[in-house]
Amino acid sequence: MAYTDINGGLLSPAQNPYAAKGSASSVAGYELFHPIVERGTVSDLLKTVRYSIKYKTEPIRFFFAGDYGSGKTTRLNLVRREVLLAERSLCIPIRFQEVANQISMSGDPNKSEITNFYGMVLDNIRRSLISQGALSREECLTLIKQADKPEFIDLIMRMFAATTKSHILLIFDEVEILFSSLKINVSQLMTFLHDLSEKCFSTNRSWGICVSVTGDYLINIQAEAAQLKDGRFDFRLVEPLSETEIKDYIEEKNSKITLRFKDKSYPFNQDIIDFVSIVSGGMPRNIEVLCHLIWASKADENSNGSVDINTARRLFVNQYRAQAFSYFEYVCKNLGLDRDVQGFLKVLFAEGGYRLSVNELISKRNNSFDNYLYNRTDSEARYILYNKASFKIRETPELSDIIEISGRRPFCFSLTKKTFNNIYTFESQTH
C-alpha cells in the first residue's frame, strides 16, 4: 500500500520532500525544490532579511559558520530567495570550489594565487551578470577595456552600476576552500571582503553580502574581522539540531506533502524519528539523506502504507556500510586495536549502532557483511564479542568518543553521534 495524503490520494515518488544529496544539494544559485523548515534560528534569520529588504535599514551582511552539513548553504539559499522576491533584484553566487578548480586548471603561473583569485571571482561575476540578463557580453567587455588598470573592486562596482538592478546580493559559498586548496590566508580574504563591503554600502543601492565557512576557521576569521573598522558581518554559528528540533523538522517536511496535520510524522513513526535523531547527529544534511532513503523505500512492505524501523535501519546501514567499515579499520589501526574490536564495531553498526547488548550482537553476527564473524558457532562468537572485544572496549579510554556504554550487565553499546558524523564524512576526508 503506497503513501496517501489526508484525503486518501496516492503520493507519487516525485513528492518525496527530502533531497537525495542533502539540504545543500541546492547550491546557492539554483532553485530550492524541497520544502525548507523555517523554524527557530532560520525563522529569525528570514525575519531579519525581510525587514532589511522592506525598510532598507541595515545591509544584509551574514557570515554563516558551522560543520559540513549543518545548513550553511541552505541559509545562503534562503537569503537569496528573499532578495530575489524583491523587484529589480540580482544575485551573484560565487562557489569557491569552482573558483579553486578554475585556478588550478587555468590560473596564470606568472601571477600570485591571490591575483588569480581576484581574476576568477571577477570572471564569475561577469558570467553571472550575462547569464541573468543584467549586462550583455559587449557591455562587460567595454567596461573592462575602458578600465585603466583599476582596482579589482572598483571594476566590480562599475559593472554593477551599469545594471538597472536596485537589490544586489553577493554570495560567497565554501570560502574554506581558499585556505585548504590555495595559498590564500584568512587575512587576505577578510581584507577583500571588508573592502568590498565598504564600497558596496557607500552606494545608494540595496546591497547584501553573505558568506559561509566551516567552523574550524571561525575563530581566526572573527579575530581578523575585529581589526576592521567598517563593513563588519553578522556572524552566525550554525549548530546541530536538538532532538526536539529534529522531530519538528521531519514532521513539518512530511506533513507539507501528506497534509496529515494530526499525524505529522506519517509515513514515519516515533521509532524512526528517534533513530534518525541518533544517527544523523542533528546535521540537516544527514537528516535529509536518511529521510530521503526512508521515504523512497517500498511502502507496500507494510499493510498500513508506512515504514517500519527495521526498514530504516537496513537502508541506513546499506547506504554507509563501505564508509563505516573503512572508518572502523582506520580507528583500530590508529589505536592499535585488534580484529576482534573491529568485528564488534562492524556488527554493532550493521544493526543500526544503537543500544544493543552482546547477546543481540551474537545473534546478528552474520548480518554484519564481515567474514571475520561469519559462520562462527555461538560459543566462538561469544568468546570473541564478549570475553575479548567488549572487555577491550570497556578498558580502552580512547574509544569513549567512538562508542557509548550504558546499563550494567548486560551492557548496551551505542555508537556516538561523533562516530556517525565521522562515518558520513570519512570518504571525503581520505580522498
Side-chain angles (χ1 to χ4, degrees):
M1 181 177 180
Y3 306 148
T4 58
D5 61 24
I6 188 64
N7 298 315
L10 293 177
L11 300 176
S12 71
Q15 289 176 281
N16 189 325
Y18 301 95
K21 295 182 181 179
S23 304
S25 64
S26 303
V27 179
Y30 296 97
E31 297 302 323
L32 297 173
F33 295 107
H34 301 277
I36 297 294
V37 178
E38 298 180 9
R39 292 190 179 185
T41 56
V42 172
S43 178
D44 293 339
L45 168 68
L46 295 180
K47 288 178 183 178
T48 301
V49 172
R50 290 164 186 160
Y51 189 87
S52 176
I53 294 172
K54 183 175 181 179
Y55 298 104
K56 299 182 181 180
T57 53
E58 290 289 335
I60 299 170
R61 287 181 285 195
F62 292 112
F63 215 119
F64 300 112
D67 292 332
Y68 290 105
S70 60
K72 303 185 298 297
T73 301
T74 296
R75 283 164 172 75
L76 294 179
N77 275 324
L78 289 172
V79 174
R80 166 185 169 271
R81 183 189 68 182
E82 295 302 321
V83 171
L84 290 181
L85 288 174
E87 293 183 1
R88 296 167 61 201
S89 60
L90 176 68
C91 175
I92 309 291
I94 307 293
R95 306 171 192 88
F96 282 122
Q97 182 62 67
E98 294 180 11
V99 171
N101 292 340
Q102 290 165 353
I103 292 174
S104 64
M105 293 175 62
S106 58
D108 189 337
N110 298 317
K111 295 181 180 179
S112 66
E113 286 205 328
I114 189 68
T115 303
N116 282 325
F117 162 71
Y118 287 155
M120 289 300 176
V121 168
L122 179 62
D123 188 58
N124 276 261
I125 291 175
R126 177 188 63 81
R127 287 189 284 110
S128 187
L129 289 170
I130 294 171
S131 66
Q132 295 184 56
L135 288 178
S136 67
R137 294 180 184 276
E138 292 73 20
E139 288 172 323
C140 287
L141 184 60
T142 298
L143 287 169
I144 294 173
K145 285 183 176 180
Q146 289 175 346
D148 183 20
K149 293 184 179 180
E151 290 294 326
F152 165 72
I153 293 176
D154 287 338
L155 183 51
I156 292 178
M157 299 306 297
R158 291 183 190 184
M159 286 185 172
F160 288 150
T163 74
T164 60
K165 305 298 183 179
S166 57
H167 294 84
I168 299 177
L169 174 67
L170 284 160
I171 290 180
F172 298 103
D173 197 12
E174 297 180 325
V175 299
E176 67 274 1
I177 298 296
L178 299 178
F179 315 135
S180 60
S181 299
L182 304 176
K183 295 176 182 178
I184 296 174
N185 58 44
V186 170
S187 177
Q188 290 172 314
L189 172 68
M190 293 308 297
T191 298
F192 159 66
L193 291 176
H194 168 256
D195 293 344
L196 179 61
S197 178
E198 281 191 319
K199 287 286 181 71
C200 286
F201 302 129
S202 63
T203 70
N204 57 2
R205 296 194 183 195
S206 175
W207 286 87
I209 297 179
C210 289
V211 189
S212 79
V213 68
T214 55
D216 296 341
Y217 298 98
L218 180 59
I219 294 177
N220 290 339
I221 286 174
Q222 286 181 315
E224 189 66 34
Q227 308 300 316
L228 306 176
K229 294 181 180 179
D230 301 312
R232 293 182 180 175
F233 288 84
D234 179 0
F235 289 94
R236 301 207 172 192
L237 183 61
V238 184
E239 298 180 327
L241 302 180
S242 66
E243 291 183 13
T244 300
E245 290 171 327
I246 293 171
K247 183 175 184 293
D248 291 342
Y249 187 104
I250 294 174
E251 288 187 343
E252 185 168 332
K253 282 254 188 178
N254 289 5
S255 62
K256 279 186 176 180
I257 303 302
T258 67
L259 304 179
R260 294 173 179 253
F261 299 109
K262 289 186 177 180
D263 182 15
K264 290 185 176 182
S265 62
Y266 174 88
F268 305 166
N269 58 31
Q270 189 58 50
D271 286 342
I272 290 177
I273 293 177
D274 290 342
F275 176 72
V276 172
S277 178
I278 292 295
V279 303
S280 69
M283 305 300 274
R285 182 177 300 176
N286 300 341
I287 295 171
E288 288 281 322
V289 172
L290 292 175
C291 287
H292 181 275
L293 293 170
I294 295 170
W295 182 284
S297 66
K298 294 180 180 179
D300 57 6
E301 293 177 1
N302 300 280
S303 59
N304 61 354
S306 62
V307 188
D308 64 20
I309 185 61
N310 291 327
T311 299
R313 289 179 185 273
R314 173 177 53 80
L315 292 169
F316 163 68
V317 170
N318 288 343
Q319 174 74 11
Y320 295 105
R321 182 174 69 247
Q323 287 171 232
F325 285 15
S326 296
Y327 174 67
F328 294 142
E329 290 172 0
Y330 168 80
V331 167
C332 289
K333 181 179 180 180
N334 273 16
L335 296 181
L337 301 174
D338 58 26
R339 192 67 174 81
D340 298 332
V341 174
Q342 188 183 131
F344 186 102
L345 292 171
K346 289 182 177 181
V347 179
L348 178 62
F349 172 81
E351 290 306 305
Y354 182 59
R355 290 187 181 175
L356 291 163
S357 68
V358 172
N359 285 336
E360 289 173 310
L361 296 180
I362 292 170
S363 67
K364 302 290 186 180
R365 64 186 180 278
N366 286 343
N367 296 333
S368 71
F369 312 98
D370 184 4
N371 291 333
Y372 184 65
L373 290 167
Y374 192 75
N375 280 340
R376 300 266 189 176
T377 65
D378 285 350
S379 59
E380 289 173 332
R382 174 174 293 279
Y383 180 71
I384 292 172
L385 294 176
Y386 185 80
N387 295 75
K388 298 176 70 176
S390 69
F391 176 79
K392 293 171 186 175
I393 289 171
R394 297 197 305 272
E395 296 298 314
T396 306
E398 294 86 351
L399 281 175
S400 60
D401 283 344
I402 307 295
I403 194 165
E404 179 182 335
I405 304 171
S406 58
R408 289 181 178 276
R409 296 190 186 278
F411 298 108
C412 284
F413 298 84
S414 302
L415 297 173
T416 63
K417 288 185 178 182
K418 181 178 179 179
T419 298
F420 286 118
N421 283 330
N422 288 339
I423 288 170
Y424 293 124
T425 60
F426 183 71
E427 187 175 19
S428 61
Q429 290 173 350
T430 55
H431 285 74

